[in-house]
Coordinates of all heavy atoms in Angstrom, one line a residue:
S385 N 98.3 79.2 -153.4 CA 98.6 78.6 -152.1 C 98.2 79.6 -151.0 O 98.2 80.8 -151.2 CB 100.0 78.3 -152.0 OG 100.3 77.9 -150.7
D386 N 97.8 79.1 -149.9 CA 97.4 80.0 -148.8 C 98.6 80.5 -147.9 O 98.4 81.2 -146.9 CB 96.4 79.3 -147.9 CG 96.9 78.0 -147.3 OD1 98.1 77.7 -147.4 OD2 96.1 77.3 -146.7
G387 N 99.8 80.1 -148.2 CA 100.9 80.5 -147.4 C 101.1 79.7 -146.1 O 102.1 79.9 -145.4
K388 N 100.2 78.8 -145.9 CA 100.3 78.0 -144.6 C 100.6 76.5 -144.9 O 100.8 75.8 -144.0 CB 98.9 78.1 -143.9 CG 98.5 79.5 -143.5 CD 97.2 79.5 -142.8 CE 96.8 80.9 -142.5 NZ 95.5 81.0 -141.9
H389 N 100.6 76.2 -146.2 CA 100.8 74.8 -146.6 C 101.8 74.7 -147.7 O 102.0 75.6 -148.5 CB 99.5 74.1 -147.0 CG 98.5 74.0 -145.9 ND1 97.6 75.0 -145.7 CD2 98.3 73.1 -145.0 CE1 96.8 74.7 -144.6 NE2 97.2 73.6 -144.2
L390 N 102.5 73.5 -147.7 CA 103.4 73.2 -148.8 C 102.8 71.9 -149.5 O 102.5 71.0 -148.8 CB 104.8 72.9 -148.3 CG 105.8 72.4 -149.3 CD1 106.2 73.5 -150.2 CD2 107.0 71.9 -148.6
V391 N 102.8 71.9 -150.8 CA 102.3 70.8 -151.5 C 103.4 70.2 -152.3 O 104.1 71.0 -153.1 CB 101.1 71.1 -152.4 CG1 100.5 69.9 -153.1 CG2 100.0 71.8 -151.6
S392 N 103.7 68.9 -152.2 CA 104.8 68.3 -152.9 C 104.3 67.0 -153.6 O 103.3 66.4 -153.2 CB 105.9 67.9 -151.9 OG 105.5 66.9 -151.0
V393 N 105.0 66.7 -154.7 CA 104.8 65.4 -155.4 C 105.9 64.5 -155.2 O 107.0 64.9 -154.8 CB 104.5 65.7 -156.9 CG1 103.4 66.6 -157.1 CG2 105.8 66.3 -157.5
S394 N 105.7 63.2 -155.5 CA 106.7 62.2 -155.2 C 106.7 61.1 -156.2 O 105.7 60.8 -156.8 CB 106.4 61.6 -153.8 OG 107.3 60.6 -153.5
D395 N 107.8 60.4 -156.2 CA 107.9 59.2 -157.1 C 107.2 58.0 -156.5 O 107.2 56.9 -157.1 CB 109.4 58.9 -157.5 CG 110.2 58.6 -156.3 OD1 109.8 58.6 -155.2 OD2 111.4 58.3 -156.6
D396 N 106.7 58.1 -155.3 CA 105.9 57.0 -154.7 C 104.4 57.1 -155.0 O 103.6 56.5 -154.4 CB 106.1 56.9 -153.2 CG 105.5 58.1 -152.4 OD1 104.9 59.0 -153.0 OD2 105.5 58.1 -151.2
C397 N 104.1 57.9 -156.1 CA 102.7 58.1 -156.6 C 101.8 59.0 -155.8 O 100.6 58.9 -155.9 CB 102.0 56.7 -156.8 SG 103.0 55.6 -157.8
T398 N 102.4 59.7 -154.8 CA 101.5 60.5 -153.9 C 101.8 62.0 -154.1 O 102.8 62.5 -154.6 CB 101.8 60.2 -152.5 OG1 103.2 60.5 -152.2 CG2 101.5 58.7 -152.2
I399 N 100.8 62.8 -153.6 CA 100.9 64.2 -153.4 C 100.7 64.4 -151.9 O 99.8 63.9 -151.3 CB 99.7 64.9 -154.2 CG1 99.8 64.7 -155.7 CG2 99.7 66.4 -153.8 CD1 98.6 65.1 -156.4
N400 N 101.6 65.2 -151.3 CA 101.6 65.4 -149.9 C 101.3 66.9 -149.6 O 101.9 67.7 -150.2 CB 102.9 64.9 -149.2 CG 103.0 63.4 -149.4 OD1 102.3 62.7 -148.8 ND2 104.0 63.0 -150.2
V401 N 100.5 67.1 -148.6 CA 100.2 68.5 -148.1 C 100.8 68.6 -146.7 O 100.4 67.8 -145.8 CB 98.7 68.8 -148.1 CG1 98.5 70.2 -147.7 CG2 98.1 68.6 -149.5
L402 N 101.7 69.6 -146.5 CA 102.3 69.8 -145.2 C 101.9 71.1 -144.6 O 101.8 72.1 -145.3 CB 103.8 69.8 -145.4 CG 104.5 68.6 -146.0 CD1 105.9 68.8 -146.2 CD2 104.3 67.3 -145.1
D403 N 101.7 71.1 -143.3 CA 101.4 72.3 -142.6 C 102.7 73.0 -142.3 O 103.6 72.4 -141.6 CB 100.6 72.0 -141.3 CG 100.3 73.2 -140.5 OD1 101.1 74.1 -140.3 OD2 99.1 73.2 -140.0
L404 N 102.9 74.2 -142.8 CA 104.2 74.9 -142.6 C 104.5 75.3 -141.1 O 105.7 75.3 -140.7 CB 104.3 76.1 -143.5 CG 104.5 75.8 -145.0 CD1 104.4 77.1 -145.8 CD2 105.7 75.0 -145.3
S405 N 103.5 75.5 -140.3 CA 103.7 75.9 -139.0 C 104.1 74.7 -138.1 O 104.9 74.9 -137.1 CB 102.5 76.6 -138.4 OG 101.4 75.6 -138.3
T406 N 103.7 73.5 -138.4 CA 104.1 72.3 -137.6 C 105.1 71.4 -138.3 O 105.7 70.6 -137.6 CB 102.8 71.5 -137.2 OG1 102.3 71.0 -138.4 CG2 101.8 72.4 -136.5
G407 N 105.1 71.5 -139.6 CA 106.0 70.6 -140.4 C 105.3 69.2 -140.6 O 105.9 68.3 -141.1
Q408 N 104.1 69.1 -140.1 CA 103.4 67.8 -140.2 C 102.6 67.6 -141.5 O 102.1 68.6 -142.0 CB 102.4 67.6 -139.0 CG 103.1 67.7 -137.6 CD 103.9 66.5 -137.4 OE1 103.6 65.3 -137.7 NE2 105.2 66.7 -137.0
R409 N 102.5 66.4 -142.0 CA 101.7 66.1 -143.1 C 100.3 66.1 -142.7 O 99.9 65.5 -141.8 CB 102.1 64.8 -143.7 CG 101.4 64.4 -145.0 CD 101.8 63.1 -145.5 NE 102.8 62.4 -144.7 CZ 103.6 61.5 -145.2 NH1 103.6 61.2 -146.5 NH2 104.5 60.9 -144.4
T410 N 99.5 66.9 -143.5 CA 98.0 67.0 -143.1 C 97.2 66.2 -144.1 O 96.0 65.9 -143.8 CB 97.6 68.4 -143.2 OG1 97.8 69.0 -144.5 CG2 98.3 69.3 -142.1
E411 N 97.8 65.8 -145.3 CA 97.0 65.1 -146.2 C 97.9 64.4 -147.2 O 99.0 64.9 -147.6 CB 96.1 66.0 -147.0 CG 95.2 65.3 -148.0 CD 94.2 66.3 -148.7 OE1 94.3 67.5 -148.5 OE2 93.4 65.8 -149.5
T412 N 97.6 63.1 -147.6 CA 98.3 62.4 -148.6 C 97.3 62.0 -149.6 O 96.2 61.4 -149.3 CB 99.0 61.2 -148.1 OG1 100.0 61.6 -147.1 CG2 99.7 60.4 -149.2
I413 N 97.5 62.3 -150.9 CA 96.6 62.0 -152.0 C 97.3 60.9 -152.8 O 98.4 61.2 -153.3 CB 96.2 63.2 -152.8 CG1 95.6 64.3 -152.0 CG2 95.3 62.8 -154.0 CD1 95.5 65.6 -152.6
K414 N 96.7 59.8 -153.0 CA 97.2 58.7 -153.8 C 96.2 58.3 -154.8 O 95.4 57.5 -154.6 CB 97.7 57.5 -153.0 CG 98.4 56.5 -153.8 CD 99.0 55.4 -153.0 CE 99.5 54.3 -153.8 NZ 100.8 54.4 -154.3
K415 N 96.3 59.0 -156.0 CA 95.3 58.7 -157.1 C 96.0 58.3 -158.4 O 95.3 58.1 -159.4 CB 94.4 59.9 -157.3 CG 93.6 60.3 -156.1 CD 92.5 59.3 -155.9 CE 91.6 59.6 -154.7 NZ 90.5 58.7 -154.6
H416 N 97.3 58.3 -158.4 CA 98.1 58.0 -159.6 C 98.7 56.6 -159.4 O 98.9 56.1 -158.3 CB 99.2 59.0 -159.8 CG 98.8 60.3 -160.4 ND1 98.3 60.5 -161.6 CD2 98.6 61.5 -159.7 CE1 98.0 61.8 -161.8 NE2 98.2 62.4 -160.7
A417 N 98.9 55.9 -160.6 CA 99.5 54.6 -160.6 C 101.0 54.6 -160.8 O 101.6 53.6 -160.7 CB 98.8 53.7 -161.7
S418 N 101.5 55.8 -161.1 CA 102.9 56.0 -161.4 C 103.4 57.2 -160.7 O 102.6 58.0 -160.3 CB 103.2 56.1 -162.9 OG 102.8 54.9 -163.6
P419 N 104.7 57.4 -160.7 CA 105.3 58.6 -160.0 C 104.6 59.9 -160.6 O 104.4 60.1 -161.8 CB 106.8 58.6 -160.4 CG 107.0 57.1 -160.5 CD 105.8 56.6 -161.2
V420 N 104.4 60.9 -159.6 CA 103.8 62.1 -160.0 C 105.0 63.1 -160.2 O 105.9 63.3 -159.4 CB 102.9 62.7 -158.8 CG1 102.3 64.0 -159.2 CG2 101.9 61.6 -158.4
F421 N 104.9 63.8 -161.4 CA 106.0 64.7 -161.8 C 105.6 66.1 -162.0 O 106.4 67.0 -162.1 CB 106.6 64.2 -163.1 CG 107.4 62.9 -162.9 CD1 106.9 61.8 -163.6 CD2 108.5 62.8 -162.2 CE1 107.6 60.6 -163.4 CE2 109.2 61.6 -162.0 CZ 108.7 60.5 -162.6
S422 N 104.3 66.4 -162.0 CA 103.9 67.8 -162.2 C 102.7 68.1 -161.3 O 101.9 67.3 -160.9 CB 103.5 68.1 -163.6 OG 102.4 67.2 -164.0
L423 N 102.6 69.4 -160.9 CA 101.6 69.9 -160.0 C 101.3 71.4 -160.2 O 102.3 72.1 -160.6 CB 102.2 69.7 -158.5 CG 101.3 70.3 -157.4 CD1 100.5 69.2 -156.8 CD2 102.2 70.9 -156.4
D424 N 100.1 71.7 -160.1 CA 99.7 73.2 -160.2 C 98.6 73.4 -159.2 O 97.7 72.5 -159.0 CB 99.3 73.6 -161.6 CG 99.3 75.1 -161.8 OD1 99.8 75.8 -160.9 OD2 98.7 75.5 -162.8
L425 N 98.6 74.5 -158.5 CA 97.6 74.8 -157.5 C 96.6 75.7 -158.2 O 96.9 76.7 -158.9 CB 98.2 75.5 -156.3 CG 99.2 74.7 -155.6 CD1 99.8 75.5 -154.4 CD2 98.7 73.4 -155.1
L426 N 95.3 75.4 -158.0 CA 94.2 76.2 -158.6 C 93.8 77.3 -157.6 O 93.9 77.2 -156.4 CB 93.0 75.3 -158.9 CG 93.3 74.2 -159.9 CD1 92.2 73.2 -160.1 CD2 93.7 74.8 -161.3
P427 N 93.2 78.4 -158.1 CA 92.7 79.5 -157.2 C 91.7 79.1 -156.2 O 91.6 79.7 -155.1 CB 92.1 80.5 -158.2 CG 92.7 80.2 -159.5 CD 93.0 78.7 -159.5
N428 N 91.0 78.0 -156.4 CA 90.0 77.5 -155.5 C 90.5 76.5 -154.5 O 89.8 75.7 -153.9 CB 88.8 76.9 -156.2 CG 89.1 75.6 -157.0 OD1 90.3 75.3 -157.1 ND2 88.2 75.0 -157.6
D429 N 91.9 76.4 -154.4 CA 92.6 75.5 -153.5 C 92.6 74.1 -154.0 O 93.0 73.1 -153.4 CB 92.0 75.5 -152.1 CG 92.3 76.8 -151.4 OD1 93.3 77.4 -151.7 OD2 91.5 77.1 -150.5
G430 N 92.2 73.9 -155.3 CA 92.3 72.6 -155.9 C 93.7 72.3 -156.4 O 94.6 73.2 -156.4
I431 N 94.0 71.1 -156.7 CA 95.3 70.7 -157.2 C 95.2 69.9 -158.5 O 94.3 69.0 -158.6 CB 96.0 69.7 -156.1 CG1 96.1 70.4 -154.8 CG2 97.3 69.2 -156.6 CD1 96.5 69.5 -153.6
V432 N 96.0 70.3 -159.5 CA 96.1 69.5 -160.7 C 97.4 68.8 -160.7 O 98.4 69.4 -160.4 CB 96.0 70.5 -161.9 CG1 96.2 69.7 -163.2 CG2 94.7 71.3 -161.9
S433 N 97.4 67.5 -161.0 CA 98.6 66.7 -161.0 C 98.7 65.9 -162.3 O 97.7 65.5 -162.8 CB 98.7 65.9 -159.8 OG 97.6 64.9 -159.7
G434 N 99.9 65.6 -162.7 CA 100.2 64.7 -163.8 C 101.3 63.8 -163.5 O 102.2 64.1 -162.7
S435 N 101.2 62.6 -164.0 CA 102.2 61.6 -163.7 C 102.6 60.8 -164.9 O 102.0 60.9 -166.0 CB 101.7 60.6 -162.6 OG 100.8 59.7 -163.1
S436 N 103.6 59.9 -164.8 CA 104.0 59.1 -165.9 C 103.0 58.0 -166.2 O 103.3 57.3 -167.2 CB 105.4 58.5 -165.5 OG 105.3 57.7 -164.4
D437 N 101.9 57.9 -165.5 CA 100.9 56.9 -165.9 C 100.0 57.5 -167.0 O 99.1 56.9 -167.5 CB 100.0 56.5 -164.7 CG 99.2 57.6 -164.1 OD1 99.2 58.8 -164.6 OD2 98.6 57.4 -163.0
G438 N 100.3 58.8 -167.5 CA 99.6 59.4 -168.6 C 98.3 60.0 -168.2 O 97.5 60.4 -169.0
M439 N 98.1 60.1 -166.9 CA 96.8 60.7 -166.4 C 97.0 62.1 -165.8 O 98.1 62.4 -165.2 CB 96.2 59.8 -165.3 CG 95.8 58.4 -165.8 SD 94.6 58.4 -167.1 CE 93.2 58.9 -166.3
I440 N 96.0 62.9 -166.0 CA 96.0 64.2 -165.3 C 94.8 64.2 -164.3 O 93.7 63.8 -164.7 CB 95.8 65.4 -166.3 CG1 97.0 65.4 -167.3 CG2 95.6 66.7 -165.7 CD1 96.8 66.3 -168.5
N441 N 95.1 64.5 -163.1 CA 94.0 64.5 -162.1 C 93.8 65.9 -161.5 O 94.7 66.7 -161.4 CB 94.4 63.6 -160.9 CG 94.4 62.1 -161.3 OD1 93.8 61.7 -162.2 ND2 95.1 61.3 -160.5
I442 N 92.5 66.2 -161.3 CA 92.1 67.4 -160.6 C 91.5 67.1 -159.3 O 90.5 66.3 -159.3 CB 91.1 68.2 -161.5 CG1 91.8 68.6 -162.8 CG2 90.7 69.5 -160.7 CD1 90.8 69.3 -163.8
H443 N 92.1 67.5 -158.2 CA 91.6 67.2 -156.9 C 91.0 68.5 -156.3 O 91.7 69.5 -156.3 CB 92.8 66.8 -156.0 CG 93.8 65.8 -156.6 ND1 93.6 64.5 -156.7 CD2 94.9 66.0 -157.3 CE1 94.6 63.9 -157.3 NE2 95.4 64.8 -157.7
D444 N 89.8 68.4 -155.8 CA 89.2 69.6 -155.2 C 89.1 69.5 -153.7 O 88.4 70.3 -153.1 CB 87.8 69.9 -155.8 CG 86.8 68.8 -155.5 OD1 87.0 67.9 -154.7 OD2 85.7 68.9 -156.0
G445 N 89.7 68.5 -153.1 CA 89.6 68.3 -151.6 C 88.6 67.3 -151.2 O 88.7 66.7 -150.1
Y446 N 87.7 67.0 -152.1 CA 86.6 66.0 -151.8 C 86.6 64.9 -152.9 O 86.4 63.7 -152.6 CB 85.2 66.6 -151.8 CG 85.2 67.7 -150.7 CD1 85.2 69.0 -151.0 CD2 85.0 67.3 -149.4 CE1 85.2 70.0 -150.0 CE2 85.0 68.3 -148.4 CZ 85.0 69.6 -148.7 OH 85.0 70.6 -147.7
N447 N 86.8 65.3 -154.2 CA 86.7 64.4 -155.3 C 87.9 64.6 -156.2 O 88.6 65.6 -156.1 CB 85.5 64.7 -156.1 CG 84.2 64.6 -155.4 OD1 83.8 63.5 -154.9 ND2 83.5 65.7 -155.2
T448 N 88.2 63.5 -157.0 CA 89.2 63.6 -158.0 C 88.6 63.2 -159.3 O 87.9 62.2 -159.5 CB 90.3 62.6 -157.7 OG1 90.9 62.9 -156.4 CG2 91.4 62.6 -158.7
K449 N 88.9 64.1 -160.3 CA 88.5 63.8 -161.7 C 89.8 63.5 -162.5 O 90.8 64.2 -162.3 CB 87.8 65.0 -162.3 CG 86.5 65.3 -161.7 CD 85.8 66.5 -162.3 CE 84.5 66.8 -161.6 NZ 83.8 68.0 -162.1
S450 N 89.7 62.4 -163.2 CA 90.9 62.0 -164.0 C 90.7 62.1 -165.5 O 89.6 61.8 -166.0 CB 91.2 60.5 -163.6 OG 91.5 60.4 -162.3
F451 N 91.7 62.5 -166.2 CA 91.7 62.6 -167.6 C 92.9 62.0 -168.2 O 94.0 62.1 -167.7 CB 91.7 64.1 -168.0 CG 90.6 64.9 -167.4 CD1 90.7 65.5 -166.2 CD2 89.3 65.0 -168.1 CE1 89.7 66.2 -165.6 CE2 88.3 65.7 -167.5 CZ 88.5 66.3 -166.3
K452 N 92.8 61.3 -169.3 CA 93.9 60.7 -170.1 C 94.6 61.8 -170.8 O 94.0 62.6 -171.6 CB 93.4 59.6 -171.0 CG 94.5 58.9 -171.8 CD 95.3 58.0 -170.9 CE 96.4 57.3 -171.7 NZ 97.4 56.8 -170.9
A453 N 95.9 61.9 -170.6 CA 96.7 63.0 -171.3 C 96.8 62.7 -172.8 O 96.9 61.5 -173.2 CB 98.1 63.1 -170.6
H454 N 96.9 63.7 -173.6 CA 97.2 63.6 -175.0 C 98.6 63.0 -175.2 O 99.5 63.5 -174.6 CB 97.0 64.9 -175.7 CG 97.3 64.9 -177.2 ND1 96.4 64.2 -178.0 CD2 98.2 65.4 -177.9 CE1 96.8 64.4 -179.2 NE2 98.0 65.1 -179.2
T455 N 98.7 62.0 -176.1 CA 100.0 61.4 -176.2 C 100.7 61.5 -177.6 O 101.8 60.9 -177.8 CB 99.9 59.9 -175.8 OG1 99.0 59.3 -176.7 CG2 99.6 59.7 -174.4
G456 N 100.1 62.1 -178.5 CA 100.7 62.1 -179.8 C 100.2 63.3 -180.7 O 99.2 63.9 -180.4
G457 N 100.8 63.4 -181.9 CA 100.6 64.4 -182.9 C 99.2 64.7 -183.3 O 98.3 65.3 -183.1

């Protein structure tokens, strides 16, 4: 993280980016069909998210790549 933004996930299927200096939402990403439960920030400012829809998404600020999560043994 750059120390200027907070990134949060939600059960409304979104990822929200907030500007810490203003408290305002600067971006909402809605690429999941189910609640988002996991998030990781990449060194290149990308975001990896996972949700109960079984998908893992990688967001780079311009594009989203989606992958089906492994579900069994």
Side-chain angles (χ1 to χ4, degrees):
S385 170
D386 61 9
K388 298 178 183 177
H389 296 91
L390 173 73
V391 182
S392 66
V393 298
S394 177
D395 63 358
D396 69 357
C397 309
T398 63
I399 298 166
N400 294 292
V401 181
L402 303 172
D403 182 317
L404 290 175
S405 67
T406 65
Q408 297 295 313
R409 185 178 1 205
T410 60
E411 184 176 4
T412 297
I413 302 167
K414 186 169 170 91
K415 297 290 182 177
H416 285 285
S418 294
V420 183
F421 292 114
S422 61
L423 173 98
D424 196 11
L425 301 177
L426 301 174
N428 66 353
D429 294 330
I431 298 170
V432 178
S433 61
S435 79
S436 61
D437 63 8
M439 299 300 291
I440 297 170
N441 291 339
I442 301 174
H443 317 275
D444 68 5
Y446 301 100
N447 300 297
T448 300
K449 293 181 183 178
S450 298
F451 304 90
K452 181 72 175 160
H454 179 68
T455 57

